[in-house]
Amino acid sequence: MQKRSPLKVIVPLCFFGLTGIANAGSFDYAFKNAKTTGQIRFGYISFAPDTTGSPTTTGAAIGGEIKFETAKWNRLQFAVAPYFSENIDALSGDAANGELNVDFLSRRGTSFAYLAEAYVNYDFKNGFVRLGRQKLDNPFINTDDIRMFSNTFSAGWLTLNLSKSLTLETGIVSSWAGFDSTQNIFSKASNEGVTALGVNYKQSKAFSTQAWYYNFDKEYSLLYADVTYTTGSFEIGAQVASYNEATSTSTLNSDGSVIGVSVSYAAGPFTFGAVINSGSNPTGKSVDLGLGGGGFYAAMDETTIAGLNDAQAHVLLFEYAASDKFTAGIAHGHFEDETKASNIDETDIVLGYSVKDNLGIEFIHAMVDNKGNQTDADTNFSRQTLRVTYTF
């Protein structure tokens, strides 16, 4: 008989247990006072490889997420949110000629829609428990909203506020979907799932720290911690991560450790920053980003330290807030592995304009150059990404 995970058993039981009391008047009230929120987004992207024979690809789409959430009923809330993305043919490249960029579309280059969120949430005095498809944001299970919409996760998740400054989170993720996964299909999260346990401590506005343990089934376990201290206009952070590979079953070759330091200083409208990550891995091993974009400081629009053996990375950044509506920034990063087979420089120019509170425009121009392999189209290119987002 097929073994069922605890999450697959618990979720149906929760909904089954509620069917007998669905006709209560207060239950009707919950739906009559439900709210609808979400976002509509237009996205355009152009990707130009700096290699011979590789065509420039372009793509455009309009899409977003529409969330329906009931009011509380006996501390319970129900929510569903379909996500969708519709290709704009007139602004997209020709798929037949290999000129269509699919970053805002399905992996097959088609429009799509799916139920990205569908959960039941139960609030109690010091926290909540949530079962079903949901958004999660922690260092190695995160939404990573970098294209049309966020990653979401099929999970059972508990958040417990132990005090005003101390929070405990724990849960298991069985599957996930989004740009970092398979775009519009919920797929398994690391074989039989990912379990996580985290503690967040915020002593004051000046000092905060967190520590997490993850187990990616049959791949690796991960211990992660960081600390941030802010005083006036100066902020400094430090992080450490330690991977332990499941040697008999792993296909990701993730093992070793990473340390990182981040500093920033704000002077009026100007912000200056610098980050460093350094990895130490056995031969042929590297680090993994988990479910999402990872939690490492040295992360650009494209490049991270994932997949690099004994990675060395640093990023310098400068940002200018011209007004409370317009911000311009530039960041330059260098990433290399032990042999310099990957020897990557990336420069990002980022512009952001807030038309009003619920309407924003962002533009990113990324230039990536891999001196270690200049014939690789995936690490030698320029890319322009435009997103216009309306929230409601």
Side-chain angles (χ1 to χ4, degrees):
M1 184 174 71
Q2 184 180 4
K3 184 179 179 181
R4 301 182 70 190
S5 72
L7 180 62
K8 292 178 181 177
V9 175
I10 291 170
V11 174
L13 286 177
C14 286
F15 284 101
F16 179 79
L18 293 172
T19 56
I21 49 179
N23 294 322
S26 58
F27 191 70
D28 294 336
Y29 172 87
F31 278 87
K32 289 178 181 178
N33 290 274
K35 63 179 180 180
T36 301
T37 59
Q39 68 177 32
I40 301 298
R41 175 174 287 165
F42 165 78
Y44 175 82
I45 191 167
S46 175
F47 180 92
D50 295 329
T51 55
T52 303
S54 299
T56 295
T57 61
T58 57
I62 188 166
E65 49 193 75
I66 301 174
K67 183 174 181 177
F68 174 86
E69 185 176 44
T70 68
K72 289 183 181 180
W73 169 70
N74 291 336
R75 297 190 175 183
L76 286 169
Q77 282 182 293
F78 305 89
V80 293
Y83 291 9
F84 69 96
S85 186
E86 183 70 26
N87 186 31
I88 303 176
D89 291 331
L91 299 178
S92 299
D94 186 356
N97 295 330
E99 297 173 350
L100 175 65
N101 189 292
V102 302
D103 277 16
F104 289 110
L105 305 173
S106 74
R107 293 292 188 260
R108 300 186 303 275
T110 58
S111 305
F112 65 94
Y114 67 104
L115 191 62
E117 296 181 64
Y119 62 79
V120 54
N121 187 92
Y122 179 75
D123 282 330
F124 50 91
K125 183 177 180 181
N126 296 320
F128 65 89
V129 61
R130 183 172 292 178
L131 299 172
R133 297 180 176 182
Q134 58 190 282
K135 292 183 179 181
L136 294 171
D137 267 309
N138 55 72
F140 289 89
I141 304 175
N142 50 62
T143 54
D144 197 28
D145 183 13
I146 59 174
R147 288 296 182 266
M148 184 56 75
F149 34 64
S150 305
N151 300 325
T152 58
F153 309 87
S154 183
W157 202 262
L158 168 69
T159 299
L160 184 61
N161 300 312
L162 302 176
S163 69
K164 290 183 178 180
S165 55
L166 184 63
T167 301
L168 171 72
E169 293 185 60
T170 187
I172 180 170
V173 176
S174 60
S175 61
W176 66 312
F179 182 74
D180 295 318
S181 178
T182 53
Q183 196 94 335
N184 60 330
I185 301 173
F186 272 83
S187 57
K188 281 188 176 182
S190 190
N191 301 299
E192 293 304 315
V194 178
T195 56
L197 173 65
V199 177
N200 296 270
Y201 178 69
K202 189 170 184 179
Q203 183 185 39
S204 63
K205 291 182 179 180
F207 178 82
S208 63
T209 185
Q210 61 178 328
W212 286 85
Y213 169 79
Y214 301 89
N215 189 296
F216 288 75
D217 181 60
K218 299 178 183 177
E219 295 292 351
Y220 61 84
S221 60
L222 168 62
L223 286 170
Y224 172 84
D226 65 39
V227 59
T228 304
Y229 179 73
T230 304
T231 175
S233 299
F234 180 74
E235 181 176 283
I236 184 169
Q239 65 180 181
V240 59
S242 177
Y243 291 74
N244 185 15
E245 183 181 30
T247 54
S248 62
T249 56
S250 177
T251 60
L252 297 178
N253 297 316
S254 296
D255 201 7
S257 61
V258 176
I259 59 173
V261 176
S262 171
V263 295
S264 67
Y265 178 75
F270 303 102
T271 300
F272 307 87
V275 301
I276 296 173
N277 275 127
S278 178
S280 177
N281 313 98
T283 302
K285 309 297 181 181
S286 59
V287 300
D288 184 62
L289 299 183
L291 306 181
F296 296 117
Y297 292 148
M300 304 287 287
D301 186 60
E302 174 67 22
T303 313
T304 70
I305 63 172
L308 301 181
N309 179 255
D310 287 350
Q312 301 297 318
H314 63 259
V315 178
L316 300 175
L317 60 91
F318 167 77
E319 184 179 279
Y320 172 58
S323 68
D324 58 354
K325 291 183 174 293
F326 178 72
T327 302
I330 184 169
H332 178 79
H334 179 77
F335 302 76
E336 63 182 52
D337 61 13
E338 184 182 29
T339 65
K340 294 194 177 181
S342 289
N343 187 7
I344 301 172
D345 286 320
E346 177 172 347
T347 301
D348 296 338
I349 298 172
V350 182
L351 306 177
Y353 181 69
S354 177
V355 181
K356 50 185 180 179
D357 289 344
N358 63 345
L359 179 61
I361 303 170
E362 62 175 330
F363 174 78
I364 302 174
H365 177 67
M367 297 168 285
V368 181
D369 177 26
N370 185 1
K371 297 179 179 63
N373 185 0
Q374 295 192 316
T375 62
D376 179 23
D378 290 333
T379 54
N380 293 275
F381 63 86
S382 62
R383 178 174 62 208
Q384 297 78 43
T385 307
L386 172 69
R387 301 195 305 177
V388 181
T389 304
Y390 171 75
T391 59
F392 59 90

